[in-house]
Amino acid sequence: KHPRTAMGYTKDNKLIILVIEGRHPGIAEGVTLIQEARIFKELGCWEALNLDGGGSSCLLINGKETIKVSDASGQRPVPAVFIIKAR
């Protein structure tokens, strides 16, 4: 089980962005890839992609963290980001 970052979409073209907190025993332990796939199926996704996991899993909304990252040093640099902007 690990923190995960993934996205998928439903048949009616809704985008689901999923970030799962992990490595915090008794609070948020993360999920396996099989568990992540089941979550997407339960959310109605017919296609999904696991993007990253571990200490780089983080989701910011308006600059604020939505989960506690698993690295003790906090957020770490990653080579790519996914940005959603209003039209």
Side-chain angles (χ1 to χ4, degrees):
K1 292 185 174 183
H2 297 286
R4 305 279 178 190
T5 302
M7 57 184 15
Y9 58 94
T10 63
K11 290 199 180 222
D12 59 349
N13 292 320
K14 291 183 181 167
L15 176 65
I16 306 289
I17 300 170
L18 181 66
V19 180
I20 298 170
E21 190 172 333
R23 297 185 183 151
H24 302 291
I27 299 168
E29 307 215 355
V31 296
T32 66
L33 289 172
I34 298 295
Q35 290 170 320
E36 181 184 74
R38 285 186 187 128
I39 292 168
F40 275 114
K41 284 182 83 173
E42 290 170 7
L43 292 171
C45 291
W46 70 286
E47 209 165 56
L49 176 67
N50 183 64
L51 298 171
D52 202 355
S56 60
S57 285
C58 183
L59 176 66
L60 302 178
I61 296 180
N62 294 325
K64 295 181 182 175
E65 288 183 358
T66 61
I67 68 167
K68 182 178 176 190
V69 296
S70 64
D71 280 2
S73 60
Q75 292 179 31
R76 64 180 174 181
V78 293
V81 296
F82 181 78
I83 298 172
I84 298 173
K85 293 176 115 181
R87 290 186 198 202

